[in-house]
Amino acid sequence: DAVRLSGMRQRHLFLSLGVEAFSWGRVDVDGRVEAQLLHRDFSLGVGGLATAMGQSGARYVVSGEARWRFLGGNLYALGQGGTLLFPMPEGTLRPGAFAAVGLGVDNAR
């Protein structure tokens, strides 16, 4: 989880990947990578989901997140953004995007 580099810093990396393959040729992939930097006070994360890969009508969404902890790490500022799919009344999916900013508080790292 942590690697000390030149005795000065700690860097943390989280990687999650799931793949599901079906007998009829459909493949779904879900993954996320997150890195904590600057003594774990700043983290960057990127995630993605792909469904029905290898077939017509495949769908993909991606998102990213930046989090900066301050005041001892209990308070943080957060920025997120990415793509999403809106269901339409006729049963299709319309692509869209989102962005968010906020403040949060927690007692765990």
Side-chain angles (χ1 to χ4, degrees):
D1 184 44
V3 176
R4 192 167 293 279
L5 300 173
S6 302
M8 297 186 66
R9 295 190 201 199
Q10 287 186 349
R11 295 185 186 198
H12 295 255
L13 181 68
F14 173 78
L15 174 65
S16 172
L17 181 65
V19 179
E20 190 172 16
F22 299 90
S23 60
W24 59 88
R26 175 179 163 167
V27 176
D28 296 349
V29 178
D30 184 8
R32 178 170 174 79
V33 63
E34 181 178 335
Q36 294 178 334
L37 308 165
L38 303 173
H39 303 286
R40 298 181 64 192
D41 288 333
F42 184 70
S43 66
L44 292 172
V46 177
L49 171 69
T51 61
M53 291 175 55
Q55 295 184 333
S56 63
R59 298 183 289 271
Y60 308 92
V61 292
V62 295
S63 65
E65 171 182 300
R67 185 180 302 227
W68 175 52
R69 293 184 174 275
F70 51 97
L71 297 178
N74 293 332
L75 188 63
Y76 61 88
L78 175 71
Q80 295 178 318
T83 62
L84 43 78
L85 298 168
F86 291 105
M88 302 303 291
E90 62 272 3
T92 61
L93 294 171
R94 183 178 58 111
F98 75 95
V101 295
L103 291 173
V105 63
D106 65 18
N107 196 22
R109 287 178 77 157

XYZ file of all heavy atoms in Angstrom:
815
model
N 0.826 -1.195 0.000
C 0.000 0.000 0.000
C 0.864 1.251 0.000
O 0.542 2.214 -0.658
C -0.926 -0.026 1.206
C -1.883 1.131 1.233
O -2.445 1.448 0.190
O -2.058 1.710 2.303
N 1.943 1.266 0.742
C 2.767 2.466 0.827
C 4.208 2.122 0.480
O 4.714 1.083 0.849
C 2.710 3.062 2.230
N 4.842 3.016 -0.223
C 6.252 2.849 -0.571
C 6.958 4.126 -0.177
O 6.557 5.214 -0.567
C 6.419 2.599 -2.088
C 7.894 2.533 -2.436
C 5.706 1.342 -2.505
N 8.014 4.007 0.618
C 8.774 5.179 1.025
C 9.822 5.456 -0.047
O 10.611 4.593 -0.387
C 9.425 4.954 2.373
C 9.965 6.243 2.950
C 10.332 6.077 4.409
N 9.208 5.849 5.286
C 8.409 6.804 5.750
N 8.590 8.048 5.392
N 7.446 6.518 6.568
N 9.807 6.655 -0.594
C 10.726 7.044 -1.652
C 11.760 8.002 -1.101
O 11.430 9.095 -0.667
C 9.971 7.697 -2.812
C 8.915 6.820 -3.468
C 8.120 7.626 -4.470
C 9.563 5.635 -4.137
N 13.017 7.597 -1.106
C 14.137 8.410 -0.618
C 13.928 8.870 0.817
O 14.457 9.894 1.226
C 14.351 9.623 -1.532
O 14.584 9.209 -2.845
N 13.110 8.179 1.577
C 12.891 8.516 2.973
C 12.119 9.797 3.190
O 11.993 10.266 4.300
N 11.539 10.383 2.147
C 10.897 11.685 2.299
C 9.377 11.626 2.194
O 8.700 12.373 2.868
C 11.439 12.642 1.247
C 12.923 12.892 1.401
S 13.507 14.138 0.272
C 12.654 15.564 0.872
N 8.825 10.795 1.331
C 7.389 10.829 1.079
C 6.798 9.436 1.108
O 7.487 8.459 0.909
C 7.093 11.400 -0.297
C 7.448 12.805 -0.515
C 6.857 13.193 -1.828
N 7.541 14.340 -2.355
C 7.045 15.113 -3.268
N 5.897 14.852 -3.788
N 7.706 16.147 -3.696
N 5.488 9.407 1.270
C 4.741 8.175 1.085
C 3.784 8.398 -0.075
O 3.154 9.449 -0.174
C 3.939 7.812 2.323
C 4.783 7.317 3.456
C 3.916 6.847 4.593
O 2.722 7.072 4.614
N 4.527 6.189 5.554
N 3.682 7.403 -0.931
C 2.718 7.460 -2.031
C 1.839 6.226 -1.934
O 2.321 5.136 -1.677
C 3.433 7.485 -3.371
C 4.242 8.735 -3.556
C 4.837 8.773 -4.919
N 5.718 9.938 -4.987
C 6.132 10.461 -6.091
N 5.785 9.948 -7.236
N 6.907 11.512 -6.080
N 0.577 6.406 -2.137
C -0.379 5.318 -2.055
C -1.096 5.196 -3.386
O -1.476 6.183 -3.992
C -1.395 5.583 -0.941
C -0.757 5.589 0.411
N -0.896 4.554 1.297
C 0.050 6.486 1.022
C -0.220 4.825 2.397
N 0.354 5.992 2.249
N -1.277 3.960 -3.810
C -1.930 3.675 -5.084
C -2.982 2.603 -4.862
O -2.713 1.585 -4.215
C -0.902 3.206 -6.110
C -1.431 2.886 -7.502
C -1.897 4.159 -8.187
C -0.354 2.209 -8.324
N -4.175 2.836 -5.392
C -5.268 1.881 -5.307
C -5.706 1.553 -6.724
O -5.943 2.461 -7.524
C -6.435 2.478 -4.513
C -7.664 1.638 -4.523
C -7.767 0.517 -3.718
C -8.729 1.963 -5.339
C -8.900 -0.266 -3.739
C -9.869 1.186 -5.362
C -9.956 0.067 -4.562
N -5.826 0.277 -7.038
C -6.259 -0.167 -8.355
C -7.313 -1.240 -8.180
O -7.129 -2.189 -7.412
C -5.086 -0.726 -9.159
C -5.408 -1.363 -10.501
C -5.958 -0.327 -11.467
C -4.177 -2.030 -11.079
N -8.420 -1.062 -8.875
C -9.496 -2.040 -8.836
C -9.935 -2.303 -10.272
O -10.155 -1.359 -11.039
C -10.675 -1.497 -8.022
O -11.786 -2.351 -8.138
N -10.056 -3.565 -10.651
C -10.455 -3.922 -12.012
C -11.305 -5.181 -11.953
O -10.922 -6.167 -11.328
C -9.239 -4.155 -12.895
C -9.521 -4.508 -14.356
C -10.189 -3.333 -15.060
C -8.233 -4.890 -15.053
N -12.445 -5.121 -12.594
C -13.325 -6.284 -12.701
C -13.699 -6.505 -14.156
O -14.009 -5.556 -14.874
N -13.637 -7.750 -14.585
C -13.999 -8.112 -15.958
C -14.967 -9.276 -15.884
O -14.733 -10.246 -15.163
C -12.757 -8.510 -16.787
C -13.162 -8.912 -18.186
C -11.748 -7.386 -16.828
N -16.048 -9.175 -16.648
C -17.032 -10.244 -16.706
C -17.271 -10.592 -18.164
O -17.601 -9.725 -18.968
C -18.332 -9.776 -16.043
C -19.334 -10.857 -15.826
C -20.522 -10.393 -15.005
O -20.733 -9.185 -14.849
O -21.250 -11.271 -14.522
N -17.071 -11.859 -18.527
C -17.257 -12.318 -19.909
C -18.404 -13.320 -19.938
O -18.485 -14.216 -19.089
C -15.977 -12.956 -20.431
N -19.285 -13.155 -20.919
C -20.440 -14.023 -21.059
C -20.253 -14.953 -22.254
O -19.523 -14.639 -23.192
C -21.715 -13.182 -21.245
C -21.999 -12.289 -20.070
C -21.487 -10.999 -20.029
C -22.761 -12.744 -19.011
C -21.744 -10.169 -18.947
C -23.014 -11.920 -17.924
C -22.510 -10.631 -17.893
N -20.934 -16.074 -22.261
C -20.765 -17.078 -23.311
C -21.263 -16.591 -24.668
O -20.864 -17.115 -25.699
C -21.477 -18.373 -22.921
O -22.855 -18.144 -22.737
N -22.125 -15.578 -24.714
C -22.634 -15.078 -25.989
C -21.790 -13.933 -26.557
O -22.172 -13.293 -27.529
C -24.096 -14.670 -25.875
C -24.378 -13.600 -24.857
C -24.343 -12.252 -25.048
C -24.727 -13.788 -23.496
N -24.639 -11.592 -23.888
C -24.888 -12.513 -22.915
C -24.935 -14.916 -22.693
C -25.234 -12.345 -21.578
C -25.280 -14.726 -21.366
C -25.432 -13.461 -20.833
N -20.622 -13.669 -25.965
C -19.683 -12.702 -26.534
C -19.654 -11.341 -25.871
O -18.830 -10.506 -26.213
N -20.509 -11.095 -24.913
C -20.520 -9.800 -24.232
C -19.431 -9.774 -23.164
O -19.207 -10.751 -22.446
C -21.875 -9.568 -23.578
C -21.938 -8.307 -22.759
C -23.294 -8.119 -22.172
N -23.236 -7.155 -21.083
C -24.299 -6.607 -20.543
N -25.497 -6.937 -20.965
N -24.182 -5.748 -19.562
N -18.756 -8.630 -23.052
C -17.729 -8.432 -22.034
C -17.995 -7.096 -21.346
O -18.196 -6.080 -22.001
C -16.313 -8.427 -22.664
C -15.266 -8.135 -21.609
C -16.036 -9.750 -23.353
N -18.008 -7.102 -20.004
C -18.166 -5.896 -19.204
C -16.880 -5.669 -18.413
O -16.306 -6.618 -17.888
C -19.334 -6.025 -18.225
C -20.683 -6.156 -18.911
O -20.754 -5.948 -20.132
O -21.660 -6.469 -18.215
N -16.446 -4.406 -18.333
C -15.226 -4.058 -17.602
C -15.530 -2.863 -16.706
O -16.159 -1.894 -17.138
C -14.077 -3.707 -18.578
C -12.834 -3.294 -17.810
C -13.773 -4.871 -19.500
N -15.081 -2.939 -15.451
C -15.258 -1.854 -14.491
C -13.920 -1.666 -13.778
O -13.357 -2.628 -13.263
C -16.349 -2.227 -13.487
C -16.674 -1.130 -12.503
O -16.166 0.004 -12.680
O -17.420 -1.400 -11.552
N -13.396 -0.433 -13.750
C -12.102 -0.218 -13.125
C -11.960 1.164 -12.522
O -12.688 2.094 -12.863
N -11.027 1.263 -11.595
C -10.715 2.541 -10.951
C -9.261 2.526 -10.515
O -8.758 1.511 -10.021
C -11.615 2.767 -9.742
C -11.315 4.054 -8.996
C -12.373 4.363 -7.958
N -12.027 5.495 -7.146
C -12.162 6.765 -7.509
N -12.644 7.046 -8.692
N -11.835 7.743 -6.697
N -8.587 3.650 -10.672
C -7.238 3.830 -10.162
C -7.219 5.151 -9.393
O -7.804 6.133 -9.827
C -6.166 3.789 -11.279
C -6.342 4.917 -12.268
C -4.774 3.803 -10.702
N -6.605 5.117 -8.217
C -6.527 6.312 -7.377
C -5.134 6.400 -6.774
O -4.575 5.394 -6.320
C -7.557 6.250 -6.257
C -7.547 7.469 -5.367
C -8.614 7.422 -4.289
O -9.630 6.746 -4.475
O -8.412 8.063 -3.245
N -4.573 7.584 -6.782
C -3.257 7.825 -6.196
C -3.377 8.916 -5.142
O -4.037 9.926 -5.356
C -2.266 8.259 -7.271
N -2.734 8.680 -4.000
C -2.668 9.677 -2.936
C -1.257 10.236 -2.920
O -0.283 9.477 -2.861
C -3.009 9.049 -1.588
C -4.433 8.581 -1.508
C -4.728 7.920 -0.173
O -3.848 7.396 0.490
N -5.991 7.957 0.207
N -1.145 11.556 -2.964
C 0.138 12.237 -3.059
C 0.267 13.282 -1.959
O -0.702 13.558 -1.242
C 0.257 12.902 -4.429
C -0.009 12.009 -5.636
C -0.228 12.848 -6.869
C 1.128 11.042 -5.821
N 1.419 13.903 -1.880
C 1.668 15.004 -0.940
C 1.284 14.614 0.475
O 0.442 15.241 1.123
C 0.931 16.272 -1.377
C 1.250 16.782 -2.784
C 0.342 17.939 -3.149
C 2.710 17.181 -2.889
N 1.905 13.561 0.976
C 1.657 13.053 2.328
C 0.196 12.659 2.523
O -0.375 12.871 3.582
C 2.090 14.065 3.386
C 3.524 14.447 3.280
N 4.538 13.603 3.671
C 4.134 15.563 2.796
C 5.685 14.185 3.443
N 5.480 15.380 2.911
N -0.400 12.132 1.472
C -1.790 11.648 1.448
C -2.817 12.762 1.612
O -3.986 12.503 1.887
C -2.004 10.568 2.505
C -1.152 9.344 2.262
C -1.373 8.288 3.289
N -2.746 7.797 3.202
C -3.305 7.030 4.115
N -2.630 6.666 5.177
N -4.534 6.610 3.961
N -2.427 14.012 1.433
C -3.377 15.119 1.533
C -4.066 15.418 0.201
O -5.069 16.130 0.182
C -2.672 16.384 2.025
C -2.312 16.287 3.496
O -2.998 15.548 4.234
O -1.346 16.945 3.910
N -3.541 14.919 -0.880
C -4.124 15.167 -2.205
C -4.298 13.825 -2.901
O -3.376 13.015 -2.945
C -3.200 16.078 -3.021
C -3.754 16.456 -4.358
C -4.832 17.308 -4.457
C -3.202 15.951 -5.522
C -5.352 17.666 -5.684
C -3.716 16.294 -6.753
C -4.789 17.159 -6.841
N -5.486 13.568 -3.437
C -5.706 12.314 -4.153
C -6.379 12.592 -5.483
O -7.207 13.492 -5.607
C -6.525 11.332 -3.319
O -7.826 11.808 -3.116
N -5.988 11.815 -6.470
C -6.564 11.855 -7.810
C -7.079 10.469 -8.141
O -6.380 9.477 -7.911
C -5.519 12.253 -8.850
C -4.997 13.665 -8.790
C -3.825 13.830 -9.754
C -6.097 14.642 -9.134
N -8.285 10.395 -8.687
C -8.869 9.109 -9.057
C -9.537 9.185 -10.408
O -10.101 10.213 -10.779
N -9.462 8.094 -11.148
C -10.105 7.972 -12.455
C -10.788 6.612 -12.495
O -10.199 5.606 -12.091
C -9.086 8.077 -13.608
C -9.759 7.873 -14.953
C -8.365 9.396 -13.575
N -12.018 6.585 -12.963
C -12.760 5.328 -13.059
C -13.480 5.224 -14.383
O -13.722 6.226 -15.063
N -13.814 4.020 -14.741
C -14.531 3.804 -15.988
C -15.333 2.524 -15.949
O -15.039 1.599 -15.192
N -16.363 2.478 -16.778
C -17.225 1.316 -16.916
C -17.544 1.147 -18.389
O -17.913 2.114 -19.064
C -18.512 1.509 -16.113
C -19.611 0.481 -16.311
C -19.184 -0.862 -15.734
C -20.900 0.952 -15.655
N -17.377 -0.045 -18.886
C -17.730 -0.363 -20.275
C -18.595 -1.615 -20.246
O -18.217 -2.624 -19.650
C -16.478 -0.591 -21.107
N -19.775 -1.549 -20.854
C -20.660 -2.708 -20.911
C -20.912 -3.096 -22.356
O -20.891 -2.253 -23.256
C -22.015 -2.437 -20.231
O -22.672 -1.381 -20.899
C -21.834 -2.073 -18.776
N -21.150 -4.365 -22.574
C -21.453 -4.930 -23.892
C -20.324 -4.687 -24.891
O -20.579 -4.485 -26.077
C -22.772 -4.393 -24.420
N -19.096 -4.732 -24.414
C -17.965 -4.561 -25.324
C -17.956 -5.715 -26.326
O -18.255 -6.850 -25.992
C -16.656 -4.540 -24.543
C -16.504 -3.308 -23.693
S -15.032 -3.331 -22.669
C -13.751 -3.594 -23.849
N -17.607 -5.413 -27.550
C -17.584 -6.425 -28.595
C -18.922 -6.626 -29.260
O -19.059 -7.482 -30.124
N -19.933 -5.858 -28.888
C -21.256 -5.956 -29.492
C -21.728 -4.565 -29.900
O -21.224 -3.559 -29.396
C -22.257 -6.553 -28.511
C -21.961 -7.979 -28.123
C -23.047 -8.546 -27.221
O -23.721 -7.817 -26.505
N -23.216 -9.853 -27.270
N -22.686 -4.527 -30.801
C -23.249 -3.221 -31.149
C -24.035 -2.693 -29.955
O -24.613 -3.454 -29.191
C -24.161 -3.341 -32.375
O -25.251 -4.180 -32.077
N -24.025 -1.402 -29.768
C -24.710 -0.798 -28.629
C -23.879 -0.797 -27.358
O -24.423 -0.662 -26.270
N -22.573 -0.951 -27.481
C -21.708 -0.904 -26.298
C -21.817 0.474 -25.647
O -22.012 1.479 -26.324
C -20.272 -1.195 -26.696
N -21.708 0.509 -24.316
C -21.828 1.765 -23.576
C -20.600 1.960 -22.695
O -20.103 1.021 -22.090
C -23.100 1.741 -22.731
C -24.340 1.623 -23.579
C -25.590 1.680 -22.752
N -25.830 0.510 -21.933
C -26.492 -0.565 -22.324
N -26.956 -0.628 -23.543
N -26.690 -1.570 -21.502
N -20.161 3.215 -22.631
C -18.963 3.563 -21.878
C -19.234 4.809 -21.049
O -19.854 5.751 -21.535
C -17.791 3.870 -22.821
C -17.540 2.798 -23.843
C -18.133 2.855 -25.095
C -16.716 1.729 -23.545
C -17.908 1.867 -26.036
C -16.467 0.741 -24.473
C -17.074 0.817 -25.713
O -16.840 -0.175 -26.637
N -18.755 4.827 -19.814
C -18.786 6.024 -18.976
C -17.445 6.135 -18.247
O -16.837 5.127 -17.902
C -19.953 6.027 -17.961
C -21.288 6.150 -18.657
C -19.932 4.805 -17.074
N -16.983 7.353 -18.048
C -15.735 7.611 -17.334
C -15.964 8.739 -16.340
O -16.851 9.577 -16.528
C -14.569 7.974 -18.285
C -14.229 6.817 -19.180
C -14.893 9.201 -19.097
N -15.161 8.770 -15.278
C -15.253 9.853 -14.304
C -13.888 10.078 -13.671
O -13.033 9.205 -13.684
C -16.286 9.535 -13.219
O -15.873 8.426 -12.452
N -13.719 11.264 -13.137
C -12.488 11.621 -12.452
C -12.796 12.399 -11.198
O -13.867 13.001 -11.064
N -11.855 12.372 -10.256
C -12.072 13.020 -8.970
C -10.743 13.536 -8.438
O -9.715 12.882 -8.579
C -12.655 11.995 -7.996
C -12.745 12.455 -6.569
C -13.295 11.370 -5.665
O -14.430 10.924 -5.899
O -12.580 10.964 -4.742
N -10.776 14.711 -7.831
C -9.620 15.269 -7.123
C -10.097 15.660 -5.721
O -11.155 16.265 -5.564
C -9.058 16.479 -7.849
N -9.305 15.288 -4.723
C -9.670 15.571 -3.331
C -8.443 16.115 -2.605
O -7.374 15.529 -2.660
C -10.139 14.285 -2.663
C -10.649 14.467 -1.265
C -11.085 13.138 -0.691
N -12.114 12.539 -1.512
C -13.233 12.005 -1.066
N -13.469 11.981 0.223
N -14.112 11.490 -1.879
N -8.623 17.249 -1.939
C -7.545 17.872 -1.176
C -7.977 17.967 0.280
O -8.983 18.602 0.603
C -7.216 19.250 -1.738
C -6.205 20.006 -0.938
C -4.977 19.567 -0.531
C -6.338 21.327 -0.434
N -4.333 20.533 0.189
C -5.151 21.638 0.264
C -7.349 22.287 -0.510
C -4.952 22.855 0.891
C -7.146 23.504 0.112
C -5.954 23.776 0.794
N -7.222 17.341 1.161
C -7.510 17.359 2.595
C -6.699 18.457 3.279
O -5.536 18.643 2.973
C -7.167 16.014 3.222
C -8.062 14.915 2.747
C -7.738 13.615 3.470
N -8.698 12.591 3.121
C -9.873 12.429 3.721
N -10.220 13.215 4.710
N -10.695 11.486 3.340
N -7.333 19.161 4.205
C -6.652 20.211 4.964
C -7.194 20.239 6.380
O -8.090 19.474 6.715
C -6.751 21.574 4.265
C -8.132 21.983 3.873
C -8.869 22.810 4.675
C -8.694 21.537 2.685
C -10.151 23.196 4.318
C -9.968 21.913 2.317
C -10.696 22.741 3.133
N -6.613 21.093 7.226
C -6.956 21.178 8.653
C -6.811 19.822 9.334
O -7.717 19.324 9.989
C -8.368 21.733 8.850
C -8.607 23.165 8.373
C -10.048 23.566 8.595
C -7.666 24.128 9.073
N -5.654 19.196 9.126
C -5.387 17.913 9.758
C -5.976 16.721 9.032
O -5.929 15.609 9.530
N -6.552 16.922 7.873
C -7.089 15.819 7.087
C -8.547 15.515 7.309
O -9.123 14.685 6.618
N -9.189 16.167 8.267
C -10.597 15.889 8.523
C -11.545 16.643 7.599
O -12.679 16.230 7.411
C -10.952 16.203 9.973
C -10.278 15.258 10.934
O -9.976 14.119 10.587
N -10.016 15.727 12.133
N -11.107 17.739 7.035
C -11.915 18.529 6.113
C -11.290 18.410 4.728
O -10.074 18.388 4.592
C -11.931 19.995 6.556
C -12.873 20.951 5.827
C -14.324 20.531 6.036
C -12.655 22.365 6.321
N -12.117 18.309 3.693
C -11.584 18.176 2.344
C -12.450 18.922 1.331
O -13.650 19.116 1.531
C -11.431 16.707 1.940
C -12.711 15.904 1.929
C -13.517 15.856 0.799
C -13.095 15.175 3.042
C -14.683 15.112 0.795
C -14.250 14.426 3.043
C -15.038 14.395 1.909
O -16.195 13.665 1.902
N -11.798 19.348 0.267
C -12.475 19.928 -0.899
C -12.441 18.872 -1.993
O -11.457 18.149 -2.151
C -11.758 21.192 -1.356
N -13.523 18.784 -2.751
C -13.683 17.724 -3.727
C -14.158 18.289 -5.059
O -15.024 19.160 -5.093
C -14.710 16.714 -3.199
C -15.137 15.570 -4.085
C -13.985 14.588 -4.217
C -16.336 14.872 -3.476
N -13.589 17.807 -6.138
C -14.053 18.131 -7.483
C -14.216 16.847 -8.273
O -13.347 15.969 -8.216
N -15.347 16.695 -8.966
C -15.624 15.497 -9.754
C -16.151 15.892 -11.118
O -16.749 16.955 -11.275
C -16.682 14.620 -9.089
C -16.290 14.024 -7.778
C -17.423 13.213 -7.175
O -18.578 13.618 -7.214
N -17.090 12.066 -6.623
N -15.984 15.013 -12.079
C -16.544 15.222 -13.401
C -16.504 13.933 -14.189
O -15.741 13.015 -13.870
N -17.345 13.855 -15.208
C -17.356 12.652 -16.033
C -18.532 12.611 -16.978
O -19.226 13.601 -17.192
N -18.729 11.447 -17.535
C -19.827 11.229 -18.467
C -20.876 10.345 -17.797
O -20.601 9.663 -16.816
C -19.333 10.537 -19.751
O -18.802 9.252 -19.414
C -18.276 11.366 -20.441
N -22.082 10.366 -18.346
C -23.161 9.510 -17.877
C -24.148 9.286 -19.001
O -24.027 9.875 -20.079
C -23.839 10.096 -16.640
C -24.156 11.592 -16.574
C -25.379 11.956 -17.374
C -24.343 11.992 -15.144
N -25.127 8.430 -18.760
C -26.141 8.100 -19.762
C -27.522 8.338 -19.171
O -27.830 7.826 -18.096
C -25.993 6.638 -20.203
C -24.669 6.284 -20.867
C -24.525 4.779 -20.999
C -24.558 6.945 -22.221
N -28.344 9.125 -19.871
C -29.716 9.415 -19.442
C -30.684 8.494 -20.167
O -30.685 8.448 -21.403
C -30.108 10.860 -19.783
C -29.384 11.893 -18.994
C -28.367 12.637 -19.573
C -29.718 12.146 -17.676
C -27.694 13.601 -18.861
C -29.048 13.117 -16.954
C -28.043 13.850 -17.545
N -31.542 7.759 -19.455
C -32.555 6.947 -20.135
C -33.641 7.841 -20.748
O -34.100 8.797 -20.118
C -33.120 6.054 -19.038
C -32.769 6.732 -17.760
C -31.574 7.593 -18.010
N -34.034 7.544 -21.965
C -35.081 8.296 -22.665
C -36.374 7.485 -22.656
O -36.338 6.260 -22.515
C -34.631 8.585 -24.101
C -33.322 9.374 -24.192
S -33.369 10.952 -23.337
C -34.501 11.851 -24.357
N -37.526 8.142 -22.824
C -38.807 7.427 -22.795
C -38.920 6.316 -23.843
O -39.588 5.311 -23.611
C -39.844 8.527 -23.059
C -39.166 9.792 -22.675
C -37.710 9.584 -22.937
N -38.267 6.474 -24.995
C -38.355 5.455 -26.049
C -37.408 4.280 -25.817
O -37.325 3.367 -26.634
C -38.120 6.064 -27.431
C -36.755 6.675 -27.642
C -36.662 8.133 -27.214
O -37.630 8.705 -26.693
O -35.572 8.699 -27.411
N -36.668 4.288 -24.690
C -35.808 3.172 -24.339
C -34.352 3.331 -24.745
O -33.549 2.439 -24.495
N -33.990 4.434 -25.359
C -32.592 4.664 -25.737
C -31.860 5.384 -24.598
O -32.490 5.841 -23.638
C -32.500 5.502 -27.027
O -33.110 6.766 -26.788
C -33.186 4.808 -28.188
N -30.559 5.493 -24.732
C -29.749 6.211 -23.764
C -29.098 7.407 -24.429
O -28.503 7.283 -25.491
C -28.666 5.292 -23.188
C -29.179 4.127 -22.354
C -28.044 3.181 -22.031
C -29.844 4.625 -21.091
N -29.236 8.564 -23.813
C -28.639 9.794 -24.331
C -27.401 10.116 -23.507
O -27.457 10.165 -22.280
C -29.639 10.943 -24.239
C -29.130 12.245 -24.819
C -30.193 13.316 -24.739
N -30.613 13.528 -23.361
C -30.350 14.628 -22.654
N -29.688 15.612 -23.196
N -30.767 14.747 -21.418
N -26.252 10.323 -24.173
C -25.035 10.650 -23.417
C -25.096 12.049 -22.820
O -25.720 12.954 -23.374
C -23.920 10.534 -24.447
C -24.574 10.577 -25.775
C -26.004 10.201 -25.595
N -24.449 12.213 -21.689
C -24.381 13.501 -21.021
C -23.094 13.600 -20.223
O -22.237 12.719 -20.284
N -22.972 14.675 -19.469
C -21.774 14.894 -18.660
C -22.193 15.517 -17.327
O -23.282 16.079 -17.204
C -20.804 15.813 -19.391
N -21.316 15.403 -16.341
C -21.586 16.018 -15.049
C -20.303 16.613 -14.488
O -19.202 16.202 -14.844
C -22.180 15.010 -14.055
C -21.172 14.044 -13.501
C -20.541 14.299 -12.293
C -20.862 12.875 -14.173
C -19.614 13.410 -11.774
C -19.941 11.970 -13.655
C -19.315 12.246 -12.452
N -20.469 17.583 -13.610
C -19.357 18.191 -12.872
C -19.892 18.562 -11.492
O -21.053 18.961 -11.363
C -18.823 19.416 -13.586
N -19.057 18.409 -10.482
C -19.475 18.730 -9.119
C -18.283 19.208 -8.312
O -17.163 18.773 -8.532
C -20.085 17.492 -8.460
N -18.545 20.114 -7.374
C -17.546 20.560 -6.412
C -18.216 20.542 -5.039
O -19.426 20.673 -4.943
C -16.987 21.964 -6.723
C -16.212 21.962 -8.023
C -18.092 22.992 -6.759
N -17.422 20.382 -4.012
C -18.008 20.384 -2.685
C -16.974 20.339 -1.591
O -15.770 20.246 -1.840
N -17.462 20.406 -0.377
C -16.656 20.274 0.839
C -17.194 19.109 1.632
O -18.390 18.842 1.617
C -16.722 21.548 1.692
C -16.056 22.790 1.144
C -16.376 23.980 2.041
C -14.558 22.591 1.049
N -16.317 18.434 2.331
C -16.747 17.301 3.137
C -15.916 17.198 4.402
O -14.879 17.831 4.539
N -16.407 16.400 5.329
C -15.699 16.160 6.574
C -15.836 14.689 6.924
O -16.871 14.079 6.695
C -16.229 17.069 7.703
C -17.685 16.782 8.018
C -15.376 16.963 8.929
N -14.738 14.088 7.389
C -14.780 12.722 7.893
C -13.666 12.537 8.917
O -12.845 13.421 9.120
C -14.717 11.683 6.780
C -13.412 11.700 6.023
O -12.410 12.241 6.501
O -13.396 11.164 4.901
N -13.665 11.392 9.542
C -12.680 11.131 10.583
C -11.843 9.891 10.244
O -11.246 9.306 11.115
C -13.382 10.941 11.928
C -12.401 11.064 13.079
O -11.343 11.660 12.951
N -12.749 10.477 14.205
N -11.851 9.478 8.990
C -11.108 8.291 8.577
C -10.318 8.586 7.315
O -10.730 9.378 6.494
C -12.059 7.142 8.320
N -9.169 7.935 7.173
C -8.368 8.080 5.960
C -8.132 6.726 5.427
O -7.300 6.119 5.177
C -7.097 8.841 6.245
C -7.408 10.303 6.451
C -6.202 11.066 6.769
N -5.425 11.304 5.565
C -4.572 12.275 5.461
N -4.376 13.085 6.433
N -3.876 12.436 4.380
